[in-house]
Amino acid sequence: MAVRSLMVASGALSLGLLAFMPLPRGAEPQVYVIEIDKLAFGPAPAGLHVNDIVEWRNSDIFRHTATASDGSFDIDLPPSAKGQTVLRQPGVIDYACRFHPGMKGRLEVVP
Amino acid sequence: MFRKPSFLLAVTMSLAASSAMAQMAAKTTDPQIAHIAYTAGQIDIAAAELALKTSQNKAVKDFAEEMVRDHTAVNKQALALVEKLKVKPEDNDTSKSLTAAAAKKHEELSKLSGAAFDKAYAQNEVAYHQTVNGALATVLIPDAQNGELKSLLETGLKLFKEHQQHAEHLVGQLK
Ligand SMILES: [Cu+2]
């Protein structure tokens, strides 16, 4: 009720501004899925924060890996397997599949 | 003076006719395409099995294991698809020449061991994947009539390209 009357009072302009303000982040880490299929990683999620989790899901008929070039993770993914990576620190992490060098992607993690 | 041009004309005409015939003959049917694609995978599996038996090099063995694993997976799908489509894979000249070339290569490789084997195997993997990529891209995929077969061949091409790249890395590693 309080929110509602505030919105009504503040009018259309500030309502528009509110929509673009970043939502306050709770303490709960988010889980983002990257799906692998047909010899490719799905798009890397945007807005990754420290302590978020990337879940790798292999929907392909081939075995793959999600392997960080900085050595921070190396996840073996047989067909239909899943694996998780907890993002421990901010920064850019490039990753690839050890078996199929054309399969690659990049995670961008902010604090 | 009369003879030459008419002779040339005759040659030109017969060339045109025979190239048209060659094109008609070259149109590969789905049962033939299925056979070629399956054969191409089996050949690479056989080469990998030789490498697993012969090589002592971890990178070579890992690569060979990957070839067995990936080509087995794709061929399993190919078999399921031909069964579903009730297509009977049909032997043909391309399959025969792939098989003959592979037998020759297998014999060559069988005589080698150690680093010489590793190098020859890795180099042949690059060349072989290149050849199959070419056939997939220029003949098999364009000629395929069935959509599901075409899509499986496209996955095959993607896979062969990845393997070619991996084989190139391997050749570099073995230098
Ligand atoms: Cu892979």
Side-chain angles (χ1 to χ4, degrees), chain A residues 11-27:
Chain A
L13 180 64
S14 41
L15 193 65
L17 284 174
L18 270 173
F20 286 102
M21 275 169 66
L23 291 167
R25 281 180 61 79

Side-chain angles (χ1 to χ4, degrees), chain B residues 3 11 26 64 85 103 143 148 168:
Chain B
R3 263 194 137 166
V11 169
L85 299 175
D143 280 3
E148 282 179 272
E168 281 162 0

Side-chain angles (χ1 to χ4, degrees), chain A residues 39 63-65 97 99-100 103:
Chain A
L39 293 143
R63 178 176 159 194
H64 299 292
T65 72
C97 168
F99 303 125
H100 309 110
M103 292 176 61

Side-chain angles (χ1 to χ4, degrees), chain B residues 17-28:
Chain B
S18 69
S19 93
M21 273 169 66
Q23 262 173 23
M24 275 165 63
K27 183 88 179 163
T28 320

Side-chain angles (χ1 to χ4, degrees), chain B residues 67-133:
Chain B
M67 295 307 108
V68 172
R69 194 169 60 230
D70 287 357
H71 288 296
T72 302
V74 125
N75 271 1
K76 211 175 126 193
Q77 270 218 333
L79 283 184
L81 181 62
V82 295
E83 203 161 299
K84 183 185 150 195
L85 299 175
K86 306 213 183 322
V87 165
K88 195 168 180 289
E90 185 186 302
D91 201 2
N92 58 85
D93 287 348
T94 307
S95 290
K96 284 195 178 93
S97 73
L98 276 175
T99 304
K104 198 168 152 245
K105 201 69 206 177
H106 199 93
E107 206 191 310
E108 268 175 58
L109 289 172
S110 308
K111 291 177 187 141
L112 302 173
S113 61
F117 173 86
D118 293 341
K119 221 171 146 179
Y121 168 67
Q123 277 167 350
N124 185 55
E125 284 300 293
V126 174
Y128 180 71
H129 282 88
Q130 231 163 11
T131 305
V132 178
N133 288 348

